[in-house]
Amino acid sequence: MNKDVIQGKWKEIKGDLHKAWGNITDDEWEKTKGDATAIAGILQQKYGMAKEEASEKVSSVFEKYANSARESLDKPTPPSRRPPQ
């Protein structure tokens, strides 16, 4: 996933991650800096997940935001509504 999307949406992403895995503190989320591998590592430690399972779960959350960003880029921008001069 694009790092710009992660940075721009980090608070939202972190909120979704926190809803799913509430035993992880805000400090722990912040230490990951949005890195999917680091997040998966925390899930492995705190929840005893296998590496592959943790990676898949993190990827599914990130993908939701990547799709959202793609959809907003695909939408045509409305024409300017400036009055004619």
Side-chain angles (χ1 to χ4, degrees):
M1 186 168 146
N2 185 321
K3 285 185 179 186
D4 292 334
V5 173
I6 293 171
Q7 288 177 349
K9 300 278 187 174
W10 177 235
K11 285 186 179 182
E12 293 175 57
I13 295 169
K14 187 172 65 167
D16 277 359
L17 293 168
H18 191 69
K19 284 179 195 172
W21 299 289
N23 289 343
I24 300 171
T25 67
D26 282 339
D27 285 345
E28 290 171 313
W29 290 125
E30 287 304 318
K31 285 179 187 175
T32 68
K33 297 180 183 172
D35 179 67
T37 304
I39 294 169
I42 290 175
L43 294 180
Q44 287 176 266
Q45 286 179 335
K46 293 272 188 166
Y47 291 91
M49 290 183 187
K51 183 177 183 177
E52 188 174 301
E53 178 188 8
S55 294
E56 287 173 6
K57 291 189 180 275
V58 172
S59 291
S60 70
V61 173
F62 278 21
E63 192 61 33
K64 172 182 150 184
Y65 287 93
N67 290 338
S68 172
R70 273 188 231 114
E71 288 172 8
S72 67
L73 290 174
D74 290 342
K75 290 181 184 175
T77 54
S80 175
R81 296 189 179 228
R82 284 187 262 164
Q85 296 182 10

Coordinates of all heavy atoms in Angstrom, one line a residue:
M1 N 0.8 -1.2 0.0 CA 0.0 0.0 0.0 C 0.9 1.2 0.0 O 1.9 1.3 0.6 CB -0.9 0.0 1.2 CG -1.9 1.1 1.3 SD -3.1 0.7 2.6 CE -3.4 2.4 3.1
N2 N 0.4 2.2 -0.7 CA 1.2 3.5 -0.8 C 1.4 4.1 0.6 O 0.5 4.3 1.3 CB 0.4 4.4 -1.7 CG 1.1 5.7 -2.0 OD1 1.7 6.3 -1.2 ND2 0.9 6.1 -3.3
K3 N 2.7 4.5 0.8 CA 3.0 5.1 2.1 C 2.3 6.4 2.3 O 1.9 6.8 3.5 CB 4.5 5.3 2.2 CG 5.3 4.1 2.5 CD 6.7 4.3 2.7 CE 7.4 3.0 3.0 NZ 8.8 3.3 3.4
D4 N 2.0 7.2 1.3 CA 1.3 8.4 1.4 C -0.2 8.2 1.9 O -0.7 8.9 2.7 CB 1.2 9.2 0.1 CG 2.6 9.7 -0.3 OD1 3.4 9.9 0.6 OD2 2.8 9.9 -1.5
V5 N -0.8 7.1 1.4 CA -2.1 6.8 1.8 C -2.1 6.4 3.3 O -3.0 6.8 4.1 CB -2.7 5.6 0.9 CG1 -4.1 5.2 1.5 CG2 -2.9 6.1 -0.5
I6 N -1.1 5.6 3.7 CA -1.0 5.2 5.1 C -0.9 6.4 6.0 O -1.6 6.5 7.0 CB 0.2 4.2 5.3 CG1 -0.1 2.9 4.5 CG2 0.4 3.9 6.8 CD1 1.1 2.0 4.5
Q7 N 0.1 7.3 5.6 CA 0.3 8.5 6.4 C -1.0 9.3 6.5 O -1.3 9.8 7.6 CB 1.5 9.3 5.9 CG 2.8 8.6 6.2 CD 4.0 9.3 5.6 OE1 3.8 10.3 4.8 NE2 5.2 8.9 5.9
G8 N -1.6 9.5 5.4 CA -2.8 10.4 5.3 C -4.0 9.8 6.1 O -4.8 10.5 6.6
K9 N -4.1 8.5 6.1 CA -5.2 7.8 6.8 C -4.8 7.1 8.1 O -5.6 6.3 8.6 CB -5.8 6.8 5.8 CG -6.3 7.3 4.5 CD -7.7 7.9 4.7 CE -8.3 8.3 3.3 NZ -9.6 8.7 3.5
W10 N -3.6 7.4 8.6 CA -3.1 6.6 9.7 C -4.1 6.6 10.9 O -4.3 5.6 11.5 CB -1.7 7.1 10.1 CG -1.2 6.3 11.3 CD1 -0.8 6.9 12.5 CD2 -1.1 4.9 11.5 NE1 -0.4 5.9 13.3 CE2 -0.6 4.7 12.8 CE3 -1.4 3.8 10.7 CZ2 -0.3 3.4 13.3 CZ3 -1.2 2.5 11.3 CH2 -0.6 2.4 12.5
K11 N -4.7 7.8 11.2 CA -5.6 7.8 12.4 C -6.8 6.9 12.2 O -7.2 6.2 13.1 CB -6.0 9.2 12.7 CG -5.0 10.1 13.3 CD -5.5 11.4 13.7 CE -4.4 12.3 14.4 NZ -4.9 13.5 14.8
E12 N -7.3 6.9 11.0 CA -8.5 6.0 10.7 C -8.1 4.6 10.7 O -8.8 3.7 11.3 CB -9.0 6.4 9.3 CG -9.7 7.7 9.3 CD -10.1 8.1 7.8 OE1 -10.9 7.3 7.3 OE2 -9.7 9.1 7.3
I13 N -6.9 4.3 10.1 CA -6.4 2.9 10.0 C -6.2 2.4 11.5 O -6.6 1.3 11.8 CB -5.2 2.8 9.2 CG1 -5.5 3.1 7.7 CG2 -4.5 1.4 9.3 CD1 -4.2 3.3 6.8
K14 N -5.5 3.2 12.2 CA -5.2 2.9 13.6 C -6.5 2.6 14.4 O -6.5 1.7 15.2 CB -4.3 4.0 14.3 CG -3.8 3.7 15.6 CD -2.9 4.7 16.2 CE -3.5 6.0 16.4 NZ -2.7 7.0 17.2
G15 N -7.5 3.4 14.2 CA -8.8 3.2 14.8 C -9.4 1.9 14.5 O -9.9 1.2 15.4
D16 N -9.3 1.5 13.2 CA -9.8 0.2 12.8 C -9.0 -0.9 13.4 O -9.6 -2.0 13.9 CB -9.8 0.0 11.3 CG -11.1 0.6 10.7 OD1 -11.9 1.2 11.4 OD2 -11.2 0.6 9.4
L17 N -7.7 -0.8 13.4 CA -6.9 -1.8 14.0 C -7.1 -1.9 15.5 O -7.2 -3.0 16.1 CB -5.4 -1.4 13.8 CG -4.9 -1.5 12.4 CD1 -3.5 -0.9 12.2 CD2 -4.9 -2.9 11.8
H18 N -7.3 -0.8 16.2 CA -7.6 -0.8 17.6 C -8.9 -1.5 18.0 O -9.0 -2.2 19.0 CB -7.5 0.6 18.2 CG -7.5 0.7 19.7 ND1 -6.4 0.2 20.4 CD2 -8.4 1.1 20.6 CE1 -6.7 0.4 21.7 NE2 -7.9 0.9 21.8
K19 N -9.9 -1.2 17.1 CA -11.2 -1.9 17.3 C -11.1 -3.4 17.2 O -11.7 -4.2 18.0 CB -12.2 -1.5 16.3 CG -12.8 -0.1 16.5 CD -13.7 0.3 15.4 CE -14.1 1.7 15.4 NZ -14.8 2.1 14.2
A20 N -10.3 -3.9 16.3 CA -10.1 -5.3 16.1 C -9.2 -5.9 17.1 O -9.4 -7.1 17.6 CB -9.5 -5.6 14.7
W21 N -8.2 -5.2 17.5 CA -7.2 -5.7 18.5 C -7.0 -4.7 19.6 O -5.9 -4.0 19.7 CB -5.9 -6.0 17.8 CG -6.1 -7.1 16.7 CD1 -6.4 -8.4 16.9 CD2 -6.1 -6.9 15.3 NE1 -6.6 -9.0 15.7 CE2 -6.4 -8.1 14.7 CE3 -5.9 -5.8 14.5 CZ2 -6.5 -8.3 13.3 CZ3 -6.0 -5.9 13.1 CH2 -6.2 -7.2 12.5
G22 N -7.9 -4.7 20.5 CA -7.9 -3.7 21.6 C -6.8 -3.8 22.7 O -6.6 -2.9 23.5
N23 N -6.1 -4.9 22.7 CA -5.1 -5.1 23.7 C -3.8 -4.4 23.4 O -2.9 -4.4 24.1 CB -4.8 -6.6 23.9 CG -5.9 -7.3 24.6 OD1 -6.8 -6.7 25.2 ND2 -6.0 -8.6 24.5
I24 N -3.8 -3.8 22.2 CA -2.5 -3.1 21.8 C -2.7 -1.7 22.1 O -3.7 -1.1 21.7 CB -2.3 -3.4 20.3 CG1 -2.1 -4.9 20.0 CG2 -1.1 -2.6 19.8 CD1 -2.0 -5.3 18.6
T25 N -1.7 -1.1 22.7 CA -1.8 0.3 23.2 C -1.6 1.3 22.1 O -1.0 0.9 21.0 CB -0.8 0.6 24.3 OG1 0.5 0.5 23.8 CG2 -1.0 -0.4 25.5
D26 N -2.0 2.5 22.3 CA -1.7 3.6 21.3 C -0.2 3.7 21.0 O 0.2 4.0 19.9 CB -2.3 4.9 21.7 CG -3.8 5.0 21.5 OD1 -4.3 4.2 20.6 OD2 -4.5 5.8 22.1
D27 N 0.5 3.7 22.1 CA 2.0 3.8 22.0 C 2.6 2.7 21.1 O 3.4 2.9 20.3 CB 2.7 3.7 23.4 CG 2.5 5.0 24.2 OD1 2.1 6.0 23.6 OD2 2.8 4.9 25.4
E28 N 2.1 1.5 21.2 CA 2.5 0.4 20.4 C 2.2 0.6 18.9 O 3.0 0.3 18.0 CB 2.0 -1.0 20.9 CG 2.6 -1.4 22.2 CD 1.9 -2.6 22.8 OE1 0.6 -2.6 22.9 OE2 2.6 -3.5 23.2
W29 N 0.9 1.1 18.7 CA 0.5 1.4 17.3 C 1.5 2.5 16.7 O 1.9 2.4 15.6 CB -0.9 1.9 17.2 CG -2.0 0.9 17.5 CD1 -3.0 1.0 18.4 CD2 -2.2 -0.4 16.9 NE1 -3.7 -0.2 18.4 CE2 -3.3 -1.0 17.5 CE3 -1.5 -1.0 15.8 CZ2 -3.8 -2.2 17.1 CZ3 -2.0 -2.3 15.4 CH2 -3.1 -2.9 16.0
E30 N 1.7 3.5 17.5 CA 2.6 4.6 17.0 C 4.0 4.2 16.7 O 4.6 4.7 15.8 CB 2.5 5.8 18.0 CG 1.2 6.6 18.0 CD 0.8 7.1 16.7 OE1 1.7 7.6 15.9 OE2 -0.3 7.1 16.3
K31 N 4.5 3.3 17.5 CA 5.9 2.8 17.3 C 6.0 2.1 16.0 O 7.1 2.0 15.4 CB 6.3 1.8 18.4 CG 6.6 2.5 19.7 CD 7.0 1.5 20.8 CE 7.2 2.2 22.1 NZ 7.5 1.3 23.2
T32 N 4.9 1.5 15.5 CA 4.9 0.8 14.2 C 5.1 1.8 13.0 O 5.5 1.4 11.9 CB 3.7 -0.1 13.9 OG1 2.6 0.8 13.7 CG2 3.5 -1.1 15.1
K33 N 4.6 3.0 13.2 CA 4.6 4.0 12.2 C 3.9 3.6 10.9 O 4.3 3.9 9.8 CB 6.1 4.5 11.9 CG 6.8 5.1 13.0 CD 8.2 5.5 12.7 CE 8.8 6.1 14.0 NZ 10.2 6.3 13.8
G34 N 2.9 2.7 11.1 CA 2.1 2.3 10.0 C 2.8 1.2 9.2 O 2.3 0.8 8.1
D35 N 3.9 0.6 9.6 CA 4.5 -0.5 8.9 C 3.8 -1.8 9.1 O 3.7 -2.3 10.3 CB 6.0 -0.6 9.4 CG 6.7 -1.7 8.7 OD1 7.0 -1.6 7.5 OD2 7.1 -2.7 9.4
A36 N 3.3 -2.4 8.0 CA 2.5 -3.6 8.1 C 3.3 -4.7 8.8 O 2.7 -5.5 9.5 CB 2.1 -4.0 6.7
T37 N 4.6 -4.9 8.5 CA 5.4 -5.9 9.1 C 5.5 -5.8 10.6 O 5.3 -6.7 11.4 CB 6.8 -6.0 8.5 OG1 6.6 -6.1 7.0 CG2 7.6 -7.1 9.0
A38 N 5.7 -4.5 11.0 CA 5.8 -4.2 12.5 C 4.4 -4.5 13.2 O 4.4 -5.1 14.3 CB 6.2 -2.8 12.7
I39 N 3.3 -4.1 12.5 CA 2.0 -4.4 13.1 C 1.7 -5.9 13.2 O 1.3 -6.3 14.2 CB 0.9 -3.7 12.2 CG1 1.1 -2.1 12.3 CG2 -0.5 -4.1 12.7 CD1 0.2 -1.4 11.3
A40 N 2.1 -6.6 12.1 CA 1.9 -8.0 12.2 C 2.7 -8.7 13.3 O 2.3 -9.6 14.0 CB 2.3 -8.7 10.8
G41 N 3.9 -8.1 13.5 CA 4.8 -8.6 14.6 C 4.1 -8.4 16.0 O 4.2 -9.3 16.8
I42 N 3.5 -7.3 16.2 CA 2.8 -7.0 17.4 C 1.6 -8.0 17.6 O 1.4 -8.5 18.7 CB 2.3 -5.6 17.5 CG1 3.5 -4.6 17.7 CG2 1.3 -5.4 18.7 CD1 3.2 -3.2 17.7
L43 N 0.9 -8.2 16.5 CA -0.2 -9.2 16.6 C 0.3 -10.6 16.9 O -0.4 -11.3 17.7 CB -1.0 -9.2 15.3 CG -1.7 -8.0 14.9 CD1 -2.4 -8.1 13.5 CD2 -2.7 -7.5 15.9
Q44 N 1.4 -11.0 16.4 CA 2.0 -12.3 16.7 C 2.3 -12.3 18.2 O 2.0 -13.3 18.9 CB 3.3 -12.5 15.9 CG 3.0 -12.8 14.5 CD 4.4 -12.9 13.8 OE1 4.9 -12.0 13.2 NE2 5.0 -14.1 13.8
Q45 N 2.9 -11.3 18.8 CA 3.3 -11.3 20.2 C 2.1 -11.3 21.1 O 2.0 -12.0 22.0 CB 4.1 -10.0 20.5 CG 5.5 -10.1 20.0 CD 6.3 -8.8 20.3 OE1 5.7 -7.7 20.5 NE2 7.6 -8.9 20.4
K46 N 1.1 -10.4 20.8 CA 0.0 -10.1 21.8 C -1.1 -11.2 21.6 O -1.8 -11.5 22.6 CB -0.6 -8.8 21.5 CG 0.3 -7.6 21.9 CD 0.1 -7.3 23.3 CE 0.9 -6.0 23.6 NZ 0.5 -5.4 24.9
Y47 N -1.3 -11.7 20.4 CA -2.4 -12.6 20.2 C -2.0 -14.0 19.8 O -2.8 -14.9 19.5 CB -3.3 -12.0 19.1 CG -4.0 -10.8 19.7 CD1 -3.5 -9.5 19.5 CD2 -5.2 -10.9 20.3 CE1 -4.2 -8.4 20.0 CE2 -5.9 -9.8 20.8 CZ -5.4 -8.6 20.6 OH -6.0 -7.4 21.1
G48 N -0.7 -14.3 19.7 CA -0.2 -15.6 19.4 C -0.5 -16.1 18.0 O -0.6 -17.3 17.7
M49 N -0.7 -15.1 17.1 CA -1.0 -15.5 15.7 C 0.2 -16.0 15.0 O 1.3 -15.6 15.3 CB -1.5 -14.2 14.9 CG -2.9 -13.7 15.3 SD -3.3 -12.3 14.3 CE -4.8 -11.8 15.1
A50 N 0.0 -16.8 14.0 CA 1.0 -17.2 13.1 C 1.4 -16.0 12.2 O 0.6 -15.1 12.0 CB 0.6 -18.3 12.2
K51 N 2.6 -15.9 11.7 CA 3.1 -14.8 11.0 C 2.2 -14.5 9.7 O 1.8 -13.4 9.5 CB 4.6 -15.0 10.5 CG 5.2 -13.9 9.8 CD 6.6 -14.2 9.4 CE 7.3 -13.0 8.7 NZ 8.7 -13.3 8.5
E52 N 1.9 -15.6 9.0 CA 1.1 -15.5 7.8 C -0.3 -14.9 8.1 O -0.8 -14.1 7.4 CB 1.0 -16.8 7.1 CG 0.3 -16.7 5.7 CD 0.4 -18.0 5.0 OE1 1.5 -18.5 4.8 OE2 -0.7 -18.5 4.6
E53 N -0.9 -15.5 9.2 CA -2.3 -15.0 9.6 C -2.2 -13.5 9.9 O -3.1 -12.8 9.5 CB -2.8 -15.8 10.8 CG -4.1 -15.4 11.2 CD -4.6 -16.1 12.5 OE1 -3.7 -16.8 13.2 OE2 -5.7 -15.9 12.9
A54 N -1.3 -13.1 10.7 CA -1.2 -11.7 11.2 C -1.0 -10.8 9.9 O -1.6 -9.8 9.8 CB 0.0 -11.6 12.2
S55 N -0.1 -11.2 9.0 CA 0.1 -10.4 7.8 C -1.1 -10.3 7.0 O -1.4 -9.2 6.5 CB 1.3 -11.1 7.0 OG 2.5 -11.0 7.7
E56 N -1.9 -11.4 6.8 CA -3.1 -11.3 6.0 C -4.1 -10.4 6.7 O -4.8 -9.6 6.0 CB -3.7 -12.7 5.9 CG -2.9 -13.6 5.0 CD -3.4 -15.1 5.0 OE1 -4.4 -15.4 5.6 OE2 -2.7 -15.9 4.3
K57 N -4.3 -10.4 8.0 CA -5.2 -9.6 8.7 C -4.9 -8.1 8.5 O -5.7 -7.3 8.3 CB -5.4 -10.0 10.1 CG -6.1 -11.4 10.3 CD -6.4 -11.7 11.7 CE -7.0 -13.0 11.8 NZ -8.5 -13.0 11.6
V58 N -3.6 -7.8 8.7 CA -3.2 -6.4 8.5 C -3.4 -6.0 7.1 O -3.9 -4.9 6.8 CB -1.7 -6.3 9.0 CG1 -1.2 -4.9 8.6 CG2 -1.5 -6.5 10.5
S59 N -3.0 -6.8 6.2 CA -3.2 -6.5 4.7 C -4.6 -6.2 4.4 O -4.9 -5.3 3.6 CB -2.6 -7.6 3.9 OG -1.3 -7.7 4.0
S60 N -5.5 -7.0 5.0 CA -7.0 -6.7 4.7 C -7.4 -5.4 5.2 O -8.2 -4.7 4.5 CB -7.8 -7.9 5.2 OG -7.9 -7.8 6.6
V61 N -6.9 -4.9 6.3 CA -7.3 -3.6 6.8 C -6.7 -2.5 5.9 O -7.4 -1.6 5.5 CB -6.9 -3.4 8.3 CG1 -7.1 -2.0 8.7 CG2 -7.6 -4.4 9.2
F62 N -5.4 -2.7 5.6 CA -4.8 -1.7 4.7 C -5.4 -1.6 3.3 O -5.6 -0.6 2.8 CB -3.3 -2.0 4.6 CG -2.4 -1.6 5.7 CD1 -2.9 -1.3 7.0 CD2 -1.1 -1.4 5.5 CE1 -2.2 -0.9 8.0 CE2 -0.3 -1.0 6.6 CZ -0.8 -0.7 7.8
E63 N -5.8 -2.8 2.8 CA -6.4 -2.9 1.5 C -7.7 -2.1 1.4 O -8.0 -1.5 0.4 CB -6.6 -4.3 1.1 CG -6.9 -4.5 -0.4 CD -5.9 -4.0 -1.3 OE1 -4.7 -4.1 -1.0 OE2 -6.2 -3.5 -2.4
K64 N -8.5 -2.1 2.5 CA -9.7 -1.4 2.6 C -9.5 0.1 2.3 O -10.2 0.8 1.6 CB -10.3 -1.6 4.0 CG -11.5 -0.7 4.3 CD -12.0 -1.0 5.7 CE -12.6 0.2 6.3 NZ -13.0 0.0 7.7
Y65 N -8.4 0.6 2.9 CA -8.1 2.0 2.7 C -7.4 2.3 1.4 O -7.7 3.4 0.8 CB -7.2 2.5 3.9 CG -8.0 2.7 5.1 CD1 -8.0 1.6 6.0 CD2 -8.7 3.8 5.4 CE1 -8.8 1.7 7.2 CE2 -9.5 3.9 6.5 CZ -9.5 2.9 7.4 OH -10.3 3.0 8.5
A66 N -6.7 1.4 0.8 CA -6.1 1.5 -0.5 C -7.2 1.6 -1.5 O -7.2 2.4 -2.4 CB -5.2 0.4 -0.8
N67 N -8.2 0.7 -1.4 CA -9.4 0.7 -2.3 C -10.1 2.0 -2.2 O -10.6 2.6 -3.2 CB -10.3 -0.5 -2.0 CG -9.7 -1.8 -2.4 OD1 -8.8 -1.9 -3.3 ND2 -10.2 -2.9 -1.8
S68 N -10.3 2.5 -1.0 CA -11.0 3.8 -0.8 C -10.3 4.9 -1.5 O -10.9 5.8 -2.1 CB -11.1 4.0 0.7 OG -11.6 5.3 1.0
A69 N -9.0 4.9 -1.4 CA -8.2 6.0 -2.0 C -8.3 5.9 -3.5 O -8.4 6.9 -4.2 CB -6.7 5.9 -1.5
R70 N -8.2 4.7 -4.0 CA -8.3 4.5 -5.5 C -9.7 5.0 -6.0 O -9.8 5.6 -7.0 CB -8.2 3.0 -5.9 CG -6.7 2.6 -6.0 CD -6.6 1.2 -6.6 NE -5.6 0.5 -5.7 CZ -5.9 -0.5 -4.9 NH1 -7.1 -1.0 -4.9 NH2 -5.0 -1.0 -4.2
E71 N -10.7 4.6 -5.3 CA -12.1 5.0 -5.7 C -12.2 6.5 -5.7 O -12.8 7.1 -6.6 CB -13.1 4.4 -4.8 CG -13.3 2.9 -5.0 CD -14.2 2.3 -3.9 OE1 -14.8 3.0 -3.1 OE2 -14.3 1.1 -3.9
S72 N -11.7 7.2 -4.7 CA -11.8 8.7 -4.7 C -11.0 9.3 -5.8 O -11.4 10.3 -6.4 CB -11.4 9.2 -3.3 OG -10.0 9.0 -3.1
L73 N -9.9 8.7 -6.2 CA -9.1 9.2 -7.4 C -9.8 8.9 -8.7 O -9.6 9.7 -9.6 CB -7.7 8.5 -7.4 CG -6.8 8.9 -6.3 CD1 -5.5 8.1 -6.4 CD2 -6.5 10.4 -6.4
D74 N -10.6 7.9 -8.8 CA -11.3 7.5 -10.0 C -12.5 8.4 -10.3 O -13.0 8.5 -11.4 CB -11.7 6.0 -10.0 CG -10.5 5.1 -10.1 OD1 -9.4 5.6 -10.5 OD2 -10.7 3.9 -9.8
K75 N -13.0 9.0 -9.2 CA -14.2 9.8 -9.4 C -13.9 11.1 -10.1 O -12.9 11.7 -9.8 CB -14.8 10.2 -8.0 CG -15.4 9.1 -7.3 CD -16.0 9.6 -6.0 CE -16.6 8.4 -5.2 NZ -17.0 8.8 -3.8
P76 N -14.7 11.4 -11.1 CA -14.4 12.7 -11.9 C -14.6 13.9 -11.0 O -15.5 13.9 -10.1 CB -15.4 12.7 -13.0 CG -16.5 11.7 -12.6 CD -15.9 10.8 -11.6
T77 N -13.8 14.9 -11.1 CA -14.0 16.1 -10.4 C -15.1 16.9 -11.0 O -15.1 17.1 -12.2 CB -12.7 16.9 -10.3 OG1 -12.2 17.1 -11.6 CG2 -11.7 16.2 -9.5
P78 N -15.9 17.5 -10.2 CA -17.0 18.3 -10.8 C -16.4 19.6 -11.4 O -15.4 20.1 -11.0 CB -17.9 18.7 -9.6 CG -17.1 18.4 -8.4 CD -16.0 17.5 -8.8
P79 N -17.1 20.1 -12.5 CA -16.6 21.3 -13.1 C -16.7 22.5 -12.1 O -17.5 22.5 -11.2 CB -17.5 21.5 -14.3 CG -18.7 20.6 -14.0 CD -18.3 19.6 -13.1
S80 N -15.8 23.4 -12.4 CA -15.8 24.6 -11.6 C -17.1 25.3 -11.7 O -17.7 25.4 -12.7 CB -14.7 25.5 -12.0 OG -14.7 26.7 -11.3
R81 N -17.6 25.9 -10.6 CA -18.9 26.6 -10.6 C -18.7 28.1 -10.5 O -19.5 28.8 -10.0 CB -19.8 26.1 -9.5 CG -20.1 24.7 -9.6 CD -21.1 24.3 -8.6 NE -21.5 22.9 -8.8 CZ -22.7 22.4 -8.9 NH1 -23.7 23.2 -8.7 NH2 -22.9 21.1 -9.1
R82 N -17.6 28.6 -11.1 CA -17.4 30.0 -11.2 C -18.3 30.6 -12.2 O -18.5 30.1 -13.3 CB -15.9 30.3 -11.6 CG -15.0 30.0 -10.4 CD -13.6 30.5 -10.8 NE -12.9 29.3 -11.3 CZ -11.8 29.3 -12.0 NH1 -11.2 30.5 -12.3 NH2 -11.2 28.2 -12.3
P83 N -18.9 31.8 -11.8 CA -19.7 32.5 -12.8 C -18.9 33.0 -14.0 O -17.7 33.3 -13.9 CB -20.3 33.6 -12.0 CG -19.5 33.8 -10.8 CD -18.7 32.5 -10.6
P84 N -19.5 32.9 -15.2 CA -18.8 33.4 -16.4 C -18.4 34.9 -16.2 O -19.1 35.7 -15.5 CB -19.8 33.3 -17.5 CG -21.1 32.8 -16.9 CD -20.9 32.6 -15.4
Q85 N -17.3 35.3 -16.8 CA -16.9 36.7 -16.7 C -17.3 37.5 -17.8 O -17.3 37.2 -18.9 CB -15.4 36.7 -16.5 CG -15.0 36.1 -15.2 CD -13.4 36.1 -15.0 OE1 -12.7 36.8 -15.7 NE2 -13.0 35.4 -14.0

